[in-house]
Amino acid sequence: MKQAARLVAWTFKFDKVTDLTGGSNFFLIALFTLLAGDRTSDIRSLVVSILVMVWAFRITGFLFLRVLVTGSDTRFDSIRSHFWSFMGA
């Protein structure tokens, strides 16, 4: 999912999607590992997974709002023109 979003971002020079998908991957992976591991009854696994999901939601929201306000993400300026560097970032 993340690489497909980066391909769209690189093709259209559209920075808004990269941070949104990058952060949401953390949320989805934490949720998937919690549910797939069948550890929902283990309080430690539940607390850690919830904390990771809260952090992922917060950082995704912050980065997405920042790029909405500024219009672009300057972290990618130097590698945006180089396809393989951008895909690996």
Side-chain angles (χ1 to χ4, degrees), residues 9-50:
W10 183 81
T11 303
F12 298 107
K13 307 300 184 233
F14 185 68
D15 289 336
K16 293 168 184 71
V17 73
T18 53
D19 290 330
L20 191 61
T21 57
S24 63
N25 280 344
F26 279 101
F27 184 90
L28 293 174
I29 289 171
L31 181 63
F32 175 75
T33 55
L34 178 67
L35 298 176
D38 195 29
R39 305 273 311 240
T40 54
S41 60
D42 179 18
I43 191 71
R44 185 183 315 161
S45 297
L46 187 61
V47 168
V48 168
S49 295
I50 288 172

Side-chain angles (χ1 to χ4, degrees), residues 25-82:
N25 280 344
F26 279 101
F27 184 90
L28 293 174
I29 289 171
L31 181 63
F32 175 75
T33 55
L34 178 67
L35 298 176
D38 195 29
R39 305 273 311 240
T40 54
S41 60
D42 179 18
I43 191 71
R44 185 183 315 161
S45 297
L46 187 61
V47 168
V48 168
S49 295
I50 288 172
L51 290 174
V52 168
M53 289 185 274
V54 166
W55 171 83
F57 183 76
R58 186 201 65 82
I59 195 72
T60 300
F62 168 75
L63 292 172
F64 186 65
L65 288 175
R66 184 185 70 177
V67 81
L68 282 178
V69 170
T70 61
S72 67
D73 194 337
T74 57
R75 296 175 299 161
F76 299 119
D77 286 347
S78 64
I79 61 171
R80 190 176 289 115
S81 60
H82 306 293

